[in-house]
């Protein structure tokens, strides 16, 4: 009944300590320790080295340390056991804070006024649409996207969302499936990306998609906020779209390569706001408690919560 901590980077020792306290009757070990492979029944991972979970004959379940599971499914030798992810109200709230903050910042032109202040410029023109006149489109109406969409609506934005399957959320115009994507984009002034990274979504935020955003809005041009995954977007396309006016601003928390290489022009682009993949950081104690509770559930014969589909990739 041993839990294995399998991290690709970072210090696993605080996690070992935390789980030892939460599950005192079960040993917790980390990759590289000496243990009997047959003793490993559960693994908690974050970007574990590919193949490193392949040799545990009694592995019963794998837990992602975060909400995303793309880091797990890139391992082609991942054992065929249930995979569960983190769903945590604190994580959801933090993501919605990020999305609302940056949508408001785009609406209220924070970037422009910061520049004006830097140059001691008092330019008070009358271009100030109300939130209700600005259409936000949220790609991904899952745990994070649906919460963000509702909070944006509460602020007053005109909000729509897009997902794979049909949804009904009070006050939010819901679009579903590939066929509905053009109509969703055509009514979007601020695009928020909260999709998981899967075979179907990799590179989806590219130049043709950005070209499909609304051209008739109360904003100079549409803007992008991506807090999902970096490989959902194509950075060269975003840069091109910022240059030719297809996009007004881009707010990026996630990048195709992380940390973002120093040579990337995104670092210094005047209309890019970037954060280091921390739009929503899970509280480690909350994550450990949730996974410990999942293990206890599993051992009582109860179904795991927040499992993902290997076929869909999320
Ligand atoms: P969920 O699994 O709850 O939601 C995913 C949403 O995306 C669902 O609405 C789903 O549709 C939709 N979707 C998936 N594939 C497609 C597709 N091909 N076409 C249209 N819609 C699709 O995930 P969460 O909301 O919990 O998290 C989303 C992502 O956010 C995570 O996977 C992770 O990558 C990222 N994240 C980033 C963090 C950060 O700090 N930057 C922190 C935490 C998460 P349907 O509802 O029909 O299934
Ligand atoms: C996650 C993340 O998926 O932090 O939880 O990106």
């Amino acid at each position: 009944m041993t839990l294995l901590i399998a991290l690709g980077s970072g210090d696993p020792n605080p996690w070992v300590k935390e789980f030892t306290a939460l599950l005192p009757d079960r040993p917790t070990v980390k990759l590289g320790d000496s243990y009997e492979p047959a003793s490993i029944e559960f693994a908690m991972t974050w970007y574990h080295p590919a193949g490193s979970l392949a040799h545990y004959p009694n592995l019963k379940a794998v837990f992602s340390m975060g909400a995303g599971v793309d880091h797990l499914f890139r391992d082609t030798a991942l054992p065929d056991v249930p995979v569960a992810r983190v769903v945590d109200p604190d994580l959801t709230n933090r993501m919605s804070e990020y999305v609302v903050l940056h949508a408001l910042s785009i609406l209220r032109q924070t970037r422009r006024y910061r520049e004006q202040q830097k140059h001691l410029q008092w330019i008070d023109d009358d271009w100030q649409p109300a939130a209700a006149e600005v259409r936000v489109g949220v790609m991904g109406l899952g745990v994070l996207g649906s919460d963000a969409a509702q909070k944006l609506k509460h602020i007053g934005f005109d909000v729509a969302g897009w997902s794979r399957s049909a949804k009904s959320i009070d006050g939010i115009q819901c679009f579903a499936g590939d066929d509905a994507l053009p109509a969703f984009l055509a009514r979007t002034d601020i695009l928020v990306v909260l999709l998981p990274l899967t075979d179907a979504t990799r590179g989806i935020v590219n130049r043709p998609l950005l070209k499909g955003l609304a051209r008739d809005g109360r904003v100079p041009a549409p803007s992008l906020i991506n807090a999902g995954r970096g490989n959902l977007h194509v950075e060269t396309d975003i840069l091109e779209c910022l240059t030719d006016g297809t996009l007004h601003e881009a707010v990026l928390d996630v990048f195709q390569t992380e940390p973002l290489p120093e040579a990337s022009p995104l670092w210094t682009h005047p209309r890019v706001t970037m954060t280091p993949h921390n739009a929503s950081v899970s509280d480690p104690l909350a994550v450990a408690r949730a996974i410990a509770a999942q293990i206890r559930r599993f051992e009582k014969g109860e179904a795991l919560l927040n499992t993902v589909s290997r076929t869909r990739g999320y």
Side-chain angles (χ1 to χ4, degrees), residues 13-312:
N13 289 310
W15 291 98
V16 173
K17 195 167 158 225
E18 206 58 66
F19 279 108
T20 304
L22 288 164
L23 299 168
D25 43 340
R26 300 159 180 80
T28 300
V29 297
K30 57 185 189 296
L31 282 178
D33 284 351
S34 149
Y35 47 80
E36 181 51 51
S39 67
I40 303 298
E41 290 194 336
F42 303 102
M44 183 199 79
T45 109
W46 190 247
Y47 288 92
H48 66 271
S52 62
L53 300 183
H55 310 293
Y56 304 114
N58 296 317
L59 190 68
K60 294 192 166 54
V62 173
F63 301 100
S64 169
M65 206 180 94
V69 288
D70 47 298
H71 66 101
L72 279 164
F73 292 139
R74 84 199 196 301
D75 178 0
T76 53
L78 186 72
D80 189 12
V81 296
V83 171
R85 69 192 191 100
V86 171
V87 172
D88 173 51
D90 177 61
L91 188 147
T92 305
N93 287 335
R94 288 172 197 243
M95 182 58 84
S96 293
E97 283 168 13
Y98 184 91
V99 170
V100 169
L101 167 74
H102 291 289
L104 280 174
S105 176
I106 291 165
L107 173 74
R108 300 306 298 261
Q109 306 178 72
T110 307
R111 169 176 298 285
R112 171 185 156 188
Y113 294 121
R114 202 178 293 130
E115 274 307 296
Q116 287 186 194
Q117 182 178 352
K118 208 170 5 170
H119 298 101
L120 283 64
Q121 289 173 324
W122 184 285
I123 305 168
D124 177 22
D125 57 27
D126 61 6
W127 182 75
Q128 287 286 1
E133 295 172 299
V134 172
R135 299 161 294 179
V136 183
V138 182
M139 287 182 95
L141 283 176
V143 173
L144 302 183
S146 56
D147 190 75
Q150 288 169 92
K151 286 175 180 159
L152 288 161
K153 177 78 198 166
H154 187 71
I155 295 290
F157 285 105
D158 179 0
V159 186
W162 180 73
S163 54
R164 205 177 45 86
S165 57
K167 299 266 178 294
S168 167
I169 307 175
D170 209 23
I172 313 281
Q173 194 183 354
C174 294
F175 295 80
D178 293 344
D179 291 349
L181 185 56
F184 162 79
L185 296 172
R187 53 80 64 214
T188 295
D189 300 313
I190 300 177
L191 182 68
V192 175
V193 183
L194 283 173
L195 287 166
L197 179 64
T198 67
D199 290 345
T201 60
R202 185 175 296 275
I204 191 169
V205 183
N206 55 18
R207 186 170 171 77
L209 180 138
L210 297 170
K211 281 271 175 204
L213 291 169
R215 299 290 145 199
D216 58 352
R218 293 283 329 269
V219 291
S223 292
L224 166 70
I225 301 173
N226 183 10
R229 281 291 181 267
N231 280 306
L232 293 168
H233 68 219
V234 179
E235 277 154 26
T236 47
D237 285 10
I238 292 175
L239 284 160
E240 218 175 288
C241 288
L242 285 165
T243 303
D244 71 7
T246 301
L247 271 183
H248 183 62
E249 286 191 40
V251 177
L252 306 174
D253 182 57
V254 286
F255 301 88
Q256 287 176 259
T257 302
E258 294 179 5
L260 183 65
E262 271 183 28
S264 170
L266 290 169
W267 282 106
T268 50
H269 196 288
R271 278 181 290 114
V272 171
T273 299
M274 47 171 293
T275 47
H277 195 148
N278 64 356
S280 177
V281 175
S282 334
D283 170 1
L285 187 55
V287 170
R289 281 196 192 121
I291 293 174
Q294 289 266 59
I295 291 175
R296 283 196 221 95
R297 286 179 69 84
F298 192 88
E299 288 181 339
K300 278 195 271 170
E302 292 170 22
L304 286 175
L305 305 173
N306 312 316
T307 51
V308 297
S309 151
R310 202 169 284 242
T311 324
R312 289 188 329 212

